[in-house]
Amino acid sequence: NAGVMQNPRHLVRRRGQEARLRCSPMKGHSHVYWYRQLPEEGLKFMVYLQKENIIDESGMPKERFSAEFPKEGPSILRIQQVVRGDSAAYFCASSPQGAAEAFFGQGTRLTVV
Amino acid sequence: DQQVKQNSPSLSVQEGRISILNCDYTNSMFDYFLWYKKYPAEGPTFLISISSIKDKNEDGRFTVFLNKSAKHLSLHIVPSQPGDSAVYFCAAAGGTSYGKLTFGQGTILTVHP
């Protein structure tokens, strides 16, 4: 019974490149959430998705960031033209229905050099 | 605008004693509260939750207390064990989207043998 799987665990990108972060939810979970944790801070909500739908993207930066959760395959968080300030740990979580008790993956640590 | 605050960055406790972690919130729309535990380089793990219709919820060594009038909740761990050493995050949900958690900044708990 695999948990929430995120890959890669570590990602290094040069400024201006694109970063793609993948998240496979737990089996049976159709709700996915992305959070970002900057150094010395708590987790900040970014986006909430169901299959093929964005439910709440109020935490997403207006530019360069996008997320999808297609009918087949993992959820993808995409960051275009990365900058140093994008360096952070990005966590994906999933839940059945819209339950508040979400299960988190181990995160992807993005470093922009 | 920090809607969920954990004012103690760290807490140090002796093994076997009680650990009390505190959390305050400002948004009256929050009606569901959760505690997560996080080890370095791992994702947060759900510990315990409480709905606003209750003032206490207990699960083994963990008890969460909610004081709605004070907009305050606390997590009690008794007896504390060295394996409890981690970062503890308080989170809140409510309003139109239970999928969106608002996290506090976290408290680093160290339990000394």
Side-chain angles (χ1 to χ4, degrees), chain A residues 28-87:
Chain A
H29 289 190
S30 58
H31 295 242
V32 165
Y33 318 88
W34 286 92
Y35 290 83
R36 175 166 67 174
Q37 184 181 24
L38 294 170
E40 310 300 326
E41 294 187 14
L43 284 77
K44 303 289 187 190
F45 169 81
M46 298 182 76
V47 63
Y48 167 20
L49 310 108
Q50 290 183 37
K51 287 281 187 182
E52 300 184 281
N53 283 310
I54 296 174
I55 305 302
D56 184 343
E57 57 181 347
S58 58
M60 287 281 269
K62 299 298 180 200
E63 298 178 349
R64 303 187 297 108
F65 285 72
S66 63
E68 62 176 5
F69 189 16
K71 187 176 180 181
E72 302 290 339
S75 174
I76 306 286
L77 179 67
R78 182 182 178 204
I79 312 172
Q80 295 179 290
Q81 299 176 312
V82 296
V83 301
R84 288 230 169 100
D86 297 332
S87 295

Side-chain angles (χ1 to χ4, degrees), chain A residues 9 33 35 58 101-102 105 109, chain B residues 32 36 41 43-44 49 99-101:
Chain A
R9 291 291 308 276
Y33 318 88
Y35 290 83
S58 58
E101 291 90 346
R109 276 142 192 89
Chain B
Y32 201 80
Y36 281 84
S49 61
K100 174 181 177 179
L101 297 179

Side-chain angles (χ1 to χ4, degrees), chain A residues 13-25:
Chain A
R13 284 287 177 265
R14 294 187 184 279
R15 280 178 292 171
Q17 290 185 319
E18 179 180 286
R20 282 187 177 233
L21 289 64
R22 293 174 182 76
C23 170
S24 296

Side-chain angles (χ1 to χ4, degrees), chain A residues 98-109:
Chain A
E101 291 90 346
F103 294 84
F104 282 79
Q106 292 187 300
T108 294
R109 276 142 192 89

